[in-house]
Amino acid sequence: MSGQTTLRSARQEDIGALDHLFQRSYARLLAPDYPPSTLITAVPVIGRAQPALVASGRFYVVEDDAGRLLGAGGWSVQAPGGRPGTPGIGHVRHVATDPDATRRGVGRQLLGHILQEARAEGLQEMHCQSTLTARPFYENMGFQPRHEITVPLGGGITFPAVFMTCPLRT
């Protein structure tokens, strides 16, 4: 990875590269915190870009100067799983960093931008369904763990996570 990075809105033509990024990231980075039996069923589901989220204008990528995706993530007012949103609350969505680009500020750049955008739209709080692996990162970024959850992924597949919240008051 070179020193220069660019944060930009994701585009539909990024979906293939996003799928690759998510699958690489989750397979490698989640391995210390999840058993192989969980990852083998969950990664094919969570490791796919969500076209509607990409098209929302609230999903971003960080790329190096060669155009390689180093991270991605976004937010929505609609809750994950298609549940309706609550006024004043936003939801961090599908954040991942390339396993070869961790500890280089990519996640911090993405989440900082997400929180700034949510504040600018007048939201008071952000919610997050964090992986067990990302919990310390989110805590470092101002999120508080509320309780452990089990995220249904369809087809009887579930995924252990942590529900976290972050106030956005300035």
Side-chain angles (χ1 to χ4, degrees):
M1 177 176 128
S2 67
Q4 295 285 65
T5 63
T6 302
L7 186 143
R8 64 169 173 82
S9 292
R11 301 182 290 255
Q12 292 294 6
E13 57 266 25
D14 293 322
I15 288 181
L18 287 167
D19 286 348
H20 181 72
L21 169 71
F22 293 139
Q23 290 168 25
R24 272 178 44 86
S25 176
Y26 298 149
R28 280 184 45 197
L29 298 179
L30 302 183
D33 298 302
Y34 291 90
S37 59
T38 297
L39 294 179
I40 201 157
T41 58
V43 169
V45 178
I46 65 175
R48 312 263 321 145
Q50 299 172 22
L53 188 57
V54 171
S56 73
R58 294 180 172 145
F59 198 78
Y60 311 97
V61 298
V62 172
E63 58 189 4
D64 65 14
D65 55 7
R68 185 173 74 101
L69 295 189
L70 304 177
W75 67 282
S76 67
V77 290
Q78 182 179 22
R83 296 184 314 274
T86 301
I89 295 177
H91 303 271
V92 175
R93 304 288 299 278
H94 224 175
V95 174
T97 301
D98 184 282
D100 295 331
T102 59
R103 304 266 186 238
R104 297 182 187 175
V106 172
R108 181 173 292 279
Q109 183 180 9
L110 273 166
L111 192 58
H113 183 75
I114 290 165
L115 296 176
Q116 178 183 356
E117 290 288 309
R119 276 187 196 97
E121 287 205 24
L123 299 182
Q124 289 90 40
E125 186 171 86
M126 288 298 276
H127 290 181
C128 174
Q129 295 180 353
S130 172
T131 63
L132 304 176
T133 306
R135 177 181 172 161
F137 166 73
Y138 284 109
E139 285 179 327
N140 191 30
M141 294 293 293
F143 283 76
Q144 294 296 314
R146 297 301 178 203
H147 51 84
E148 292 186 2
I149 58 174
T150 301
V151 178
L153 300 179
I157 300 169
T158 59
F159 189 76
V162 181
F163 178 71
M164 303 183 80
T165 62
C166 178
L168 294 179
R169 294 172 196 86
T170 53

